[in-house]
Coordinates of all heavy atoms in Angstrom, one line a residue:
G1 N 13.2 -8.6 -5.7 CA 12.7 -9.9 -5.3 C 13.3 -11.0 -6.2 O 14.2 -10.7 -7.1
P2 N 12.9 -12.2 -5.9 CA 13.5 -13.4 -6.7 C 13.0 -13.4 -8.1 O 11.8 -13.1 -8.4 CB 13.0 -14.6 -5.9 CG 11.8 -14.1 -5.1 CD 12.0 -12.6 -4.9
V3 N 13.9 -13.7 -9.0 CA 13.6 -13.8 -10.4 C 14.3 -15.0 -11.0 O 15.4 -15.3 -10.7 CB 14.2 -12.5 -11.2 CG1 14.0 -12.7 -12.7 CG2 13.6 -11.3 -10.7
E4 N 13.5 -15.8 -11.9 CA 14.1 -16.9 -12.6 C 14.7 -16.2 -13.9 O 13.9 -15.7 -14.7 CB 13.1 -17.9 -12.9 CG 13.7 -19.1 -13.5 CD 12.7 -20.3 -13.7 OE1 12.1 -20.7 -12.6 OE2 12.5 -20.8 -14.8
L5 N 16.0 -16.4 -14.1 CA 16.6 -15.7 -15.2 C 16.2 -16.3 -16.6 O 16.2 -17.5 -16.8 CB 18.2 -15.9 -15.1 CG 18.8 -15.3 -13.9 CD1 20.3 -15.5 -13.9 CD2 18.6 -13.8 -13.8
S6 N 15.9 -15.3 -17.5 CA 15.7 -15.7 -18.9 C 17.1 -15.9 -19.5 O 18.1 -15.6 -18.9 CB 15.0 -14.5 -19.6 OG 15.8 -13.4 -19.7
A7 N 17.1 -16.4 -20.7 CA 18.4 -16.6 -21.4 C 19.1 -15.3 -21.5 O 20.3 -15.2 -21.4 CB 18.1 -17.3 -22.7
K8 N 18.4 -14.3 -21.9 CA 19.0 -12.9 -22.1 C 19.6 -12.4 -20.8 O 20.7 -11.9 -20.8 CB 18.0 -11.9 -22.7 CG 18.6 -10.6 -22.9 CD 17.6 -9.6 -23.5 CE 18.3 -8.3 -23.8 NZ 17.5 -7.1 -23.7
Q9 N 18.8 -12.4 -19.7 CA 19.3 -12.0 -18.4 C 20.5 -12.8 -18.0 O 21.5 -12.2 -17.5 CB 18.2 -12.1 -17.4 CG 17.1 -11.1 -17.6 CD 15.8 -11.5 -16.7 OE1 15.6 -12.6 -16.5 NE2 15.1 -10.4 -16.3
A10 N 20.4 -14.1 -18.1 CA 21.5 -14.9 -17.7 C 22.8 -14.6 -18.5 O 23.9 -14.5 -17.9 CB 21.2 -16.4 -17.9
S11 N 22.7 -14.4 -19.8 CA 23.8 -14.0 -20.6 C 24.5 -12.7 -20.2 O 25.6 -12.6 -20.1 CB 23.4 -13.9 -22.1 OG 24.4 -13.4 -22.9
E12 N 23.6 -11.7 -19.8 CA 24.1 -10.4 -19.4 C 24.8 -10.4 -18.0 O 25.8 -9.7 -17.9 CB 22.9 -9.4 -19.3 CG 22.3 -9.0 -20.6 CD 21.1 -8.1 -20.5 OE1 20.6 -7.9 -19.4 OE2 20.6 -7.7 -21.6
I13 N 24.5 -11.3 -17.1 CA 25.1 -11.4 -15.8 C 26.1 -12.6 -15.7 O 26.7 -12.7 -14.6 CB 24.1 -11.3 -14.7 CG1 23.2 -12.5 -14.6 CG2 23.3 -10.0 -14.8 CD1 22.4 -12.6 -13.3
G14 N 26.2 -13.4 -16.7 CA 27.1 -14.5 -16.7 C 26.6 -15.6 -15.8 O 27.4 -16.3 -15.1
A15 N 25.4 -15.9 -15.9 CA 24.8 -17.0 -15.1 C 24.1 -18.0 -16.0 O 24.1 -17.8 -17.3 CB 23.8 -16.4 -14.1
G16 N 23.4 -19.0 -15.5 CA 22.7 -19.9 -16.3 C 21.2 -19.6 -16.4 O 20.6 -19.2 -15.4
A17 N 20.6 -19.8 -17.6 CA 19.2 -19.5 -17.8 C 18.4 -20.4 -16.8 O 18.8 -21.6 -16.6 CB 18.8 -19.8 -19.2
G18 N 17.4 -19.9 -16.2 CA 16.6 -20.7 -15.2 C 17.1 -20.6 -13.8 O 16.4 -21.0 -12.9
E19 N 18.3 -20.1 -13.6 CA 18.8 -19.9 -12.2 C 17.9 -18.8 -11.5 O 17.4 -17.9 -12.2 CB 20.2 -19.4 -12.2 CG 21.2 -20.5 -12.5 CD 22.6 -20.0 -12.4 OE1 22.9 -19.0 -11.7 OE2 23.5 -20.6 -13.0
R20 N 17.8 -18.9 -10.2 CA 17.0 -17.9 -9.4 C 18.0 -17.0 -8.8 O 18.9 -17.4 -8.1 CB 16.1 -18.6 -8.4 CG 15.0 -19.4 -9.0 CD 14.0 -19.9 -8.1 NE 13.3 -18.8 -7.3 CZ 12.3 -18.1 -7.8 NH1 11.9 -18.3 -9.1 NH2 11.6 -17.2 -7.1
W21 N 17.8 -15.7 -9.1 CA 18.6 -14.6 -8.5 C 17.7 -13.6 -7.9 O 16.5 -13.6 -8.2 CB 19.5 -13.9 -9.6 CG 20.7 -14.7 -10.0 CD1 20.7 -16.0 -10.5 CD2 22.1 -14.3 -9.9 NE1 22.0 -16.4 -10.8 CE2 22.9 -15.4 -10.4 CE3 22.7 -13.1 -9.5 CZ2 24.2 -15.3 -10.5 CZ3 24.0 -13.1 -9.6 CH2 24.8 -14.1 -10.1
L22 N 18.2 -12.7 -7.1 CA 17.5 -11.6 -6.5 C 17.7 -10.3 -7.3 O 18.9 -10.0 -7.6 CB 17.8 -11.4 -5.1 CG 17.7 -12.6 -4.2 CD1 18.3 -12.3 -2.8 CD2 16.2 -13.0 -4.0
L23 N 16.7 -9.6 -7.7 CA 16.8 -8.4 -8.4 C 16.4 -7.2 -7.5 O 15.3 -7.2 -6.9 CB 15.9 -8.4 -9.7 CG 15.8 -7.1 -10.5 CD1 17.2 -6.7 -11.0 CD2 14.8 -7.3 -11.6
F24 N 17.3 -6.2 -7.4 CA 17.0 -5.0 -6.8 C 16.9 -3.9 -7.8 O 17.9 -3.8 -8.6 CB 18.1 -4.6 -5.8 CG 18.3 -5.5 -4.6 CD1 19.0 -6.7 -4.7 CD2 17.7 -5.2 -3.4 CE1 19.1 -7.6 -3.7 CE2 17.8 -6.1 -2.3 CZ 18.4 -7.3 -2.5
T25 N 15.9 -3.1 -7.8 CA 15.8 -1.9 -8.7 C 15.7 -0.7 -7.8 O 14.9 -0.6 -6.9 CB 14.6 -2.1 -9.6 OG1 14.7 -3.2 -10.4 CG2 14.5 -0.9 -10.5
G26 N 16.5 0.3 -8.1 CA 16.5 1.5 -7.3 C 16.5 2.8 -8.3 O 17.1 2.7 -9.4
V27 N 16.0 3.8 -7.8 CA 16.0 5.1 -8.5 C 16.8 6.1 -7.7 O 16.5 6.3 -6.6 CB 14.5 5.6 -8.7 CG1 14.5 7.0 -9.4 CG2 13.7 4.6 -9.5
R28 N 17.8 6.7 -8.4 CA 18.6 7.7 -7.7 C 18.2 9.1 -8.1 O 17.9 9.4 -9.2 CB 20.1 7.5 -8.2 CG 21.0 8.5 -7.5 CD 22.4 8.2 -7.9 NE 22.9 7.0 -7.3 CZ 24.0 6.4 -7.4 NH1 24.9 6.9 -8.3 NH2 24.3 5.3 -6.8
T29 N 18.1 9.9 -7.1 CA 17.8 11.3 -7.3 C 18.9 12.2 -6.6 O 19.6 11.7 -5.8 CB 16.4 11.7 -6.6 OG1 16.5 11.4 -5.2 CG2 15.3 10.9 -7.3
M30 N 18.9 13.4 -7.0 CA 19.8 14.3 -6.3 C 19.2 14.9 -5.0 O 17.9 15.0 -5.0 CB 20.2 15.5 -7.2 CG 21.1 15.1 -8.4 SD 21.5 16.4 -9.5 CE 22.4 17.5 -8.4
A31 N 19.9 15.1 -4.0 CA 19.3 15.7 -2.8 C 18.5 16.9 -3.0 O 19.0 17.8 -3.8 CB 20.5 16.0 -1.8
G32 N 17.3 17.0 -2.6 CA 16.5 18.1 -2.7 C 15.7 18.2 -4.0 O 15.0 19.1 -4.3
H33 N 15.8 17.1 -4.9 CA 15.1 17.1 -6.1 C 14.4 15.8 -6.3 O 14.8 14.8 -5.8 CB 16.1 17.2 -7.3 CG 16.9 18.4 -7.3 ND1 16.5 19.6 -7.8 CD2 18.2 18.7 -6.8 CE1 17.4 20.6 -7.7 NE2 18.4 20.1 -7.0
D34 N 13.2 15.8 -6.9 CA 12.4 14.6 -7.1 C 12.7 13.9 -8.5 O 12.4 12.8 -8.6 CB 10.9 15.0 -7.1 CG 10.5 15.4 -5.7 OD1 11.1 15.0 -4.7 OD2 9.5 16.2 -5.6
R35 N 13.3 14.6 -9.4 CA 13.5 14.1 -10.7 C 14.7 13.1 -10.7 O 15.8 13.4 -10.2 CB 13.9 15.2 -11.7 CG 13.9 14.8 -13.1 CD 14.0 16.0 -14.0 NE 14.0 15.6 -15.3 CZ 14.1 16.4 -16.4 NH1 14.2 17.7 -16.2 NH2 14.1 15.9 -17.6
P36 N 14.4 11.9 -11.2 CA 15.4 10.8 -11.2 C 16.6 11.1 -12.1 O 16.4 11.8 -13.1 CB 14.7 9.6 -11.7 CG 13.4 10.0 -12.1 CD 13.1 11.4 -11.7
I37 N 17.8 10.7 -11.7 CA 19.0 10.9 -12.5 C 19.5 9.5 -13.0 O 20.3 9.5 -13.9 CB 20.1 11.7 -11.8 CG1 20.5 11.0 -10.5 CG2 19.6 13.1 -11.6 CD1 21.8 11.6 -9.9
A38 N 19.0 8.5 -12.4 CA 19.5 7.1 -12.8 C 18.6 6.1 -12.2 O 17.9 6.2 -11.2 CB 20.9 6.8 -12.2
V39 N 18.5 4.9 -12.9 CA 17.8 3.7 -12.5 C 18.8 2.6 -12.4 O 19.6 2.5 -13.4 CB 16.6 3.4 -13.4 CG1 16.0 2.1 -12.9 CG2 15.6 4.5 -13.4
T40 N 18.9 1.9 -11.4 CA 19.9 0.8 -11.2 C 19.1 -0.5 -11.0 O 18.2 -0.6 -10.1 CB 20.8 1.1 -10.0 OG1 21.4 2.3 -10.2 CG2 21.8 0.0 -9.8
D41 N 19.6 -1.5 -11.7 CA 19.2 -2.9 -11.5 C 20.4 -3.6 -11.0 O 21.4 -3.6 -11.6 CB 18.7 -3.6 -12.8 CG 17.3 -3.1 -13.2 OD1 16.6 -2.6 -12.4 OD2 17.0 -3.2 -14.4
A42 N 20.3 -4.2 -9.8 CA 21.4 -5.0 -9.2 C 21.0 -6.4 -9.0 O 19.9 -6.7 -8.4 CB 21.8 -4.3 -7.9
W43 N 21.8 -7.3 -9.5 CA 21.5 -8.8 -9.3 C 22.3 -9.3 -8.2 O 23.5 -9.1 -8.1 CB 21.8 -9.5 -10.6 CG 21.0 -9.0 -11.8 CD1 21.2 -8.0 -12.7 CD2 19.7 -9.5 -12.2 NE1 20.2 -7.9 -13.6 CE2 19.2 -8.8 -13.3 CE3 18.9 -10.6 -11.7 CZ2 18.0 -9.1 -13.9 CZ3 17.7 -10.8 -12.3 CH2 17.3 -10.1 -13.4
L44 N 21.7 -10.1 -7.3 CA 22.3 -10.7 -6.2 C 22.0 -12.2 -6.2 O 20.9 -12.6 -6.3 CB 21.8 -10.1 -4.9 CG 22.4 -10.6 -3.6 CD1 23.8 -10.4 -3.5 CD2 21.6 -10.0 -2.4
H45 N 23.1 -13.0 -6.2 CA 22.9 -14.5 -6.2 C 22.0 -14.9 -5.0 O 22.1 -14.4 -3.9 CB 24.3 -15.2 -6.1 CG 24.2 -16.6 -6.4 ND1 23.8 -17.6 -5.5 CD2 24.3 -17.3 -7.6 CE1 23.8 -18.8 -6.1 NE2 24.1 -18.6 -7.3
A46 N 21.1 -15.9 -5.3 CA 20.2 -16.3 -4.3 C 20.8 -16.8 -3.0 O 20.2 -16.8 -1.9 CB 19.3 -17.4 -4.8
D47 N 22.1 -17.2 -3.0 CA 22.8 -17.7 -1.8 C 22.9 -16.6 -0.8 O 23.1 -16.8 0.4 CB 24.2 -18.1 -2.1 CG 24.3 -19.5 -2.9 OD1 23.2 -20.1 -3.0 OD2 25.4 -19.8 -3.3
F48 N 22.8 -15.3 -1.2 CA 22.9 -14.2 -0.3 C 21.5 -13.7 0.2 O 21.4 -12.7 0.9 CB 23.7 -13.0 -1.0 CG 25.1 -13.4 -1.2 CD1 25.5 -13.7 -2.5 CD2 26.0 -13.4 -0.2 CE1 26.8 -14.0 -2.7 CE2 27.3 -13.8 -0.4 CZ 27.7 -14.1 -1.7
A49 N 20.4 -14.4 -0.1 CA 19.1 -14.0 0.3 C 19.0 -13.7 1.8 O 18.3 -12.7 2.2 CB 18.1 -15.1 -0.1
P50 N 19.6 -14.5 2.7 CA 19.5 -14.1 4.1 C 20.1 -12.7 4.5 O 19.7 -12.2 5.6 CB 20.4 -15.2 4.8 CG 20.4 -16.4 3.8 CD 20.4 -15.7 2.5
L51 N 20.9 -12.2 3.6 CA 21.5 -10.8 3.9 C 20.5 -9.7 3.6 O 20.6 -8.6 4.1 CB 22.7 -10.6 3.2 CG 23.9 -11.6 3.4 CD1 25.1 -11.2 2.5 CD2 24.2 -11.7 4.9
V52 N 19.5 -10.0 2.7 CA 18.6 -8.9 2.2 C 18.0 -8.1 3.3 O 18.0 -6.8 3.2 CB 17.6 -9.5 1.3 CG1 16.5 -8.5 0.9 CG2 18.2 -10.1 0.0
P53 N 17.5 -8.6 4.4 CA 16.9 -7.8 5.4 C 17.9 -6.8 6.1 O 17.5 -5.9 6.7 CB 16.3 -8.8 6.5 CG 16.2 -10.1 5.7 CD 17.3 -10.1 4.7
K54 N 19.1 -7.1 6.0 CA 20.2 -6.3 6.6 C 20.7 -5.2 5.7 O 21.4 -4.4 6.2 CB 21.3 -7.2 7.1 CG 20.9 -8.3 8.1 CD 22.1 -9.2 8.4 CE 21.6 -10.3 9.3 NZ 22.6 -11.3 9.6
L55 N 20.4 -5.3 4.5 CA 20.9 -4.2 3.5 C 20.2 -2.9 3.7 O 19.0 -2.9 4.0 CB 20.7 -4.7 2.1 CG 21.4 -5.9 1.7 CD1 21.1 -6.4 0.2 CD2 22.9 -5.7 1.8
K56 N 20.9 -1.8 3.6 CA 20.4 -0.5 3.9 C 20.4 0.3 2.5 O 21.2 0.0 1.6 CB 21.3 0.3 4.8 CG 21.5 -0.4 6.2 CD 20.3 -0.5 7.0 CE 20.5 -1.2 8.3 NZ 19.4 -1.8 8.9
P57 N 19.5 1.3 2.4 CA 19.4 2.0 1.1 C 20.5 3.1 1.0 O 20.3 4.1 0.3 CB 18.0 2.6 1.2 CG 17.7 2.8 2.7 CD 18.5 1.6 3.3
V58 N 21.6 2.9 1.7 CA 22.7 3.9 1.5 C 24.0 3.1 1.3 O 24.1 2.0 1.6 CB 22.9 4.7 2.8 CG1 21.8 5.6 3.1 CG2 23.2 3.8 4.0
G59 N 24.9 3.7 0.5 CA 26.1 3.0 0.2 C 25.9 2.0 -0.9 O 24.8 1.9 -1.5
T60 N 26.9 1.2 -1.2 CA 26.8 0.3 -2.3 C 26.3 -1.1 -1.8 O 26.7 -1.4 -0.6 CB 28.1 0.1 -3.1 OG1 29.1 -0.4 -2.2 CG2 28.6 1.4 -3.7
I61 N 25.6 -1.8 -2.6 CA 25.1 -3.1 -2.2 C 26.3 -4.0 -2.0 O 26.4 -4.8 -1.0 CB 24.1 -3.7 -3.2 CG1 22.8 -2.9 -3.2 CG2 23.9 -5.2 -2.9 CD1 21.8 -3.3 -4.2
F62 N 27.3 -4.0 -3.0 CA 28.4 -4.9 -2.9 C 29.3 -4.7 -1.7 O 29.8 -5.7 -1.1 CB 29.2 -4.9 -4.2 CG 30.0 -3.7 -4.5 CD1 31.3 -3.5 -3.9 CD2 29.5 -2.7 -5.3 CE1 32.1 -2.4 -4.2 CE2 30.3 -1.5 -5.6 CZ 31.5 -1.4 -5.0
S63 N 29.5 -3.5 -1.2 CA 30.3 -3.3 0.0 C 29.6 -3.8 1.2 O 30.2 -4.3 2.1 CB 30.7 -1.8 0.2 OG 29.6 -1.0 0.4
Q64 N 28.3 -3.6 1.2 CA 27.5 -4.2 2.4 C 27.5 -5.7 2.4 O 27.7 -6.3 3.5 CB 26.0 -3.7 2.3 CG 25.9 -2.2 2.5 CD 24.4 -1.8 2.4 OE1 23.6 -2.2 3.2 NE2 24.1 -1.0 1.4
I65 N 27.4 -6.3 1.2 CA 27.5 -7.8 1.1 C 28.8 -8.3 1.6 O 28.9 -9.3 2.3 CB 27.2 -8.3 -0.3 CG1 25.8 -8.0 -0.6 CG2 27.5 -9.7 -0.5 CD1 25.4 -8.1 -2.1
E66 N 29.9 -7.6 1.2 CA 31.3 -8.0 1.7 C 31.3 -8.0 3.2 O 31.8 -8.9 3.9 CB 32.3 -7.1 1.1 CG 32.7 -7.4 -0.3 CD 33.9 -6.6 -0.8 OE1 34.0 -5.4 -0.4 OE2 34.7 -7.1 -1.5
K67 N 30.9 -6.9 3.8 CA 30.9 -6.7 5.3 C 30.1 -7.8 6.0 O 30.4 -8.3 7.0 CB 30.5 -5.3 5.7 CG 31.5 -4.3 5.3 CD 31.0 -2.9 5.7 CE 32.0 -1.8 5.2 NZ 31.5 -0.5 5.3
L68 N 28.8 -8.0 5.5 CA 27.9 -8.9 6.1 C 28.2 -10.4 5.9 O 27.9 -11.2 6.8 CB 26.5 -8.6 5.6 CG 25.9 -7.3 6.0 CD1 24.6 -7.1 5.2 CD2 25.6 -7.3 7.5
S69 N 28.9 -10.7 4.8 CA 29.1 -12.1 4.5 C 30.5 -12.6 4.7 O 30.8 -13.8 4.8 CB 28.7 -12.4 3.1 OG 29.6 -11.8 2.2
G70 N 31.5 -11.6 4.7 CA 32.9 -12.0 4.7 C 33.4 -12.4 3.4 O 34.6 -12.8 3.3
V71 N 32.6 -12.4 2.4 CA 33.0 -12.8 1.0 C 33.6 -11.6 0.3 O 33.1 -10.5 0.4 CB 31.8 -13.3 0.2 CG1 32.2 -13.6 -1.2 CG2 31.3 -14.6 0.8
H72 N 34.8 -11.8 -0.3 CA 35.4 -10.7 -1.1 C 34.8 -10.7 -2.5 O 34.8 -11.7 -3.2 CB 36.9 -10.9 -1.2 CG 37.6 -10.0 -2.2 ND1 37.7 -8.6 -1.8 CD2 38.1 -10.1 -3.4 CE1 38.3 -8.0 -2.8 NE2 38.6 -8.9 -3.8
I73 N 34.3 -9.6 -2.9 CA 33.7 -9.4 -4.3 C 34.9 -8.9 -5.2 O 35.5 -7.9 -5.0 CB 32.6 -8.4 -4.3 CG1 31.5 -9.0 -3.4 CG2 32.1 -8.1 -5.7 CD1 30.3 -8.1 -3.2
A74 N 35.2 -9.8 -6.2 CA 36.4 -9.5 -7.1 C 36.0 -8.6 -8.2 O 36.8 -8.0 -8.8 CB 36.9 -10.8 -7.6
R75 N 34.7 -8.6 -8.6 CA 34.3 -7.8 -9.8 C 32.9 -7.3 -9.7 O 32.0 -8.1 -9.3 CB 34.5 -8.7 -11.1 CG 34.2 -8.0 -12.4 CD 34.3 -8.9 -13.6 NE 33.0 -9.6 -13.6 CZ 32.8 -10.6 -14.5 NH1 33.7 -11.0 -15.3 NH2 31.6 -11.2 -14.5
V76 N 32.7 -6.1 -10.1 CA 31.4 -5.5 -10.2 C 31.4 -4.9 -11.6 O 32.3 -4.2 -12.1 CB 31.2 -4.3 -9.2 CG1 29.9 -3.6 -9.4 CG2 31.3 -4.9 -7.8
T77 N 30.3 -5.2 -12.4 CA 30.2 -4.7 -13.7 C 29.1 -3.7 -13.8 O 28.0 -4.0 -13.3 CB 30.0 -5.9 -14.7 OG1 31.0 -6.8 -14.6 CG2 29.9 -5.4 -16.1
Q78 N 29.3 -2.6 -14.4 CA 28.3 -1.5 -14.5 C 28.2 -1.1 -16.0 O 29.2 -0.9 -16.6 CB 28.6 -0.3 -13.6 CG 28.6 -0.6 -12.2 CD 28.8 0.6 -11.3 OE1 29.7 1.4 -11.7 NE2 28.1 0.8 -10.3
D79 N 27.0 -1.0 -16.5 CA 26.8 -0.6 -17.8 C 25.9 0.7 -17.8 O 25.0 0.8 -17.0 CB 26.1 -1.6 -18.7 CG 26.9 -2.8 -18.9 OD1 28.1 -2.7 -19.2 OD2 26.4 -3.9 -18.9

């Protein structure tokens, strides 16, 4: 959902403190298992909010955003 970025969050994603971004949190499991193997937080600029209802829980968010918006994503950072 929408989040107003703290100074720390803004610094981590290269944005300005107080900006509103969308935060997606997902838990990844292996097929046939309930135990999580990863937790992912993905930040999406608020300009892309109209795309959210069209995003699916399969594949990568960034590839879906590219297809839905026509915007080329030049960099994805994962830690």
Side-chain angles (χ1 to χ4, degrees):
V3 173
E4 187 171 306
L5 297 178
S6 68
K8 181 180 181 207
Q9 291 167 325
S11 173
E12 289 176 353
I13 65 171
E19 289 184 18
R20 293 189 62 80
W21 282 60
L22 302 170
L23 173 61
F24 293 83
T25 300
V27 177
R28 180 177 289 176
T29 58
M30 291 180 60
H33 300 276
D34 292 334
R35 190 170 181 183
I37 59 170
V39 175
T40 301
D41 287 335
W43 295 92
L44 179 62
H45 193 275
D47 288 352
F48 294 104
L51 302 180
V52 171
K54 299 175 184 176
L55 297 175
K56 306 292 182 206
V58 294
T60 62
I61 291 174
F62 69 87
S63 64
Q64 292 180 64
I65 292 168
E66 282 187 325
K67 288 177 186 172
L68 292 168
S69 70
V71 172
H72 173 70
I73 297 176
R75 184 181 81 187
V76 174
T77 303
Q78 295 180 319
D79 293 320

